[in-house]
Amino acid sequence: MANVVVVGAQWGDEGKGKIVDWLSIEADVVVRFQGGHNAGHTLVIDGKTYKLSLLPSGIVRPGKLSVIGNGVVVDPHHFVKEIAAIEAQGVSVTPDNLKLAENAPLILSLHRELDAQRENASTGGAKIGTTMRGIGPAYEDKAGRRSIRVMDLAEPDTLDDKIARLLAHHNPLRRGLGLPELDGKAIRDELLSVAPKVLPFMAATWDLLDGLRRQGKRILFEGAQGALLDVDHGTYPYVTSSNTVAGNAATGSGLGPKAIGYVLGIAKAYTTRVGGGPFPTELFDDTGRRIGERGHEFGTVTGRARRCGWFDAVLVRQTVKTSGIDGIALTKLDILDGFDEIHVCTRYLLDGVEIDRLPASQAAQARVTPVYETIEGWQGTTAGARSWADLPAQAIKYVRRIEELIGAPVALLSTSPERDDTILVQNPFQD
């Protein structure tokens, strides 16, 4: 049985939550390996909707262990609030079914404030489109070796020196931004007020996961966002502050790369993104609005309307390579029902020259234009289909053409938000 990594193959919001939930039936452990509470998963189970932004998707499934790995930045107050919200929906959350990495960095109020200050002060093309929840500044402090981490909550006697080191960086920065300086006591109080509710979940998760792997337990790794928001391989600087590609599942959980057996990429049958940055196939017309309305394209966490466009095979082909994707879960095919024609971007033009990848240069990314292939649409419905026999013939042709263009097979096909409306072609756990 292969341990499976699930990654978004576009800019996020591909429907990872449903697919992770679908796969979690066969998994014993679900691990979140990067990001923060700036991206969310929406799960629909037996008609009940769960919105998660930090907790792993496995938390709603009894008998599954959920783990928040060291690659995640954790807002401790949001952690406690999200647990309370999910418990109010009847989900049991205890230290028996949820573990939090002891070495995960914490997001503090000063991170949120700095994030908002920077984003609000930016104009035009300088706006990244962050959620202003402190994720970027928290990762900066991690790289700068000044983070307060989960384990530090258990050692209050050592906090003052660590807070002083943190403020030695942040207070000069705040002065430059015209913000009042912070004193260590305020940060200490902020941390200690939440520590008793967080510490029961703390664990050496890398060791725990290694033991479970050696016992033959099936592990499912889930990330947030998508591979095109990866800080190295995405549309920089319009990216998130962590590595979202599949390789980070190993680093962000504390397991070696041999623990990963299968990489499942999630891609919509069209393309969306939230926030600023290049989007070669973006539609600004009635077609784009129609896709957005039919697909309910609004952010799980922010409620922001997503930008919509045709499927971009160039980008997904690129993420197949950067994440080592073995198979694709294609979602929201039903949104394209009823279109007379569907367009798929197969390559780009850059200054009149055809290219088959998205260039790394920010200026070049802004200049590329899509080259489309037109595919006949279908008038039947794919919504709720659970077998290939339920699909219109032209819809099957569309899926097959996407496979050819991206260089990866479709392992699962999702035809609605409901868990059972899924066509299984290849079970990733039985690769």
Side-chain angles (χ1 to χ4, degrees), residues 75 107-114 174 182 186-187 190:
D75 182 324
I107 300 173
L108 307 179
S109 57
L110 59 82
H111 295 127
R112 295 193 299 273
E113 194 172 359
L114 177 59
R174 292 174 69 87
L182 296 170
I187 303 298
E190 177 185 343

Side-chain angles (χ1 to χ4, degrees), residues 318-336:
Q318 194 157 320
T319 60
V320 165
K321 296 175 182 178
T322 57
S323 273
I325 290 171
D326 296 296
I328 287 284
L330 191 66
T331 65
K332 306 189 88 165
L333 182 66
D334 55 302
I335 305 307
L336 299 181

Side-chain angles (χ1 to χ4, degrees), residues 97-170:
N97 69 346
L98 177 64
K99 301 293 184 183
L100 172 62
E102 62 183 1
N103 51 340
L106 297 177
I107 300 173
L108 307 179
S109 57
L110 59 82
H111 295 127
R112 295 193 299 273
E113 194 172 359
L114 177 59
D115 202 0
Q117 179 74 11
R118 286 172 172 170
E119 186 69 8
N120 290 330
S122 299
T123 57
K127 276 191 178 292
I128 301 297
T130 82
T131 57
M132 297 183 282
R133 295 190 171 213
I135 280 76
Y139 274 117
E140 289 176 37
D141 282 345
K142 176 183 179 179
R145 297 165 292 183
R146 52 183 173 264
S147 286
I148 308 294
R149 302 193 290 175
V150 173
M151 67 184 75
D152 297 325
L153 299 178
E155 301 174 347
D157 292 343
T158 70
L159 273 177
D160 288 343
D161 287 344
K162 293 168 182 174
I163 292 170
R165 184 174 65 218
L166 182 69
L167 292 183
H169 170 81
H170 278 274

Side-chain angles (χ1 to χ4, degrees), residues 308-319:
C308 298
W310 294 118
F311 187 86
D312 191 331
V314 180
L315 292 180
V316 178
R317 186 164 63 235
Q318 194 157 320
T319 60

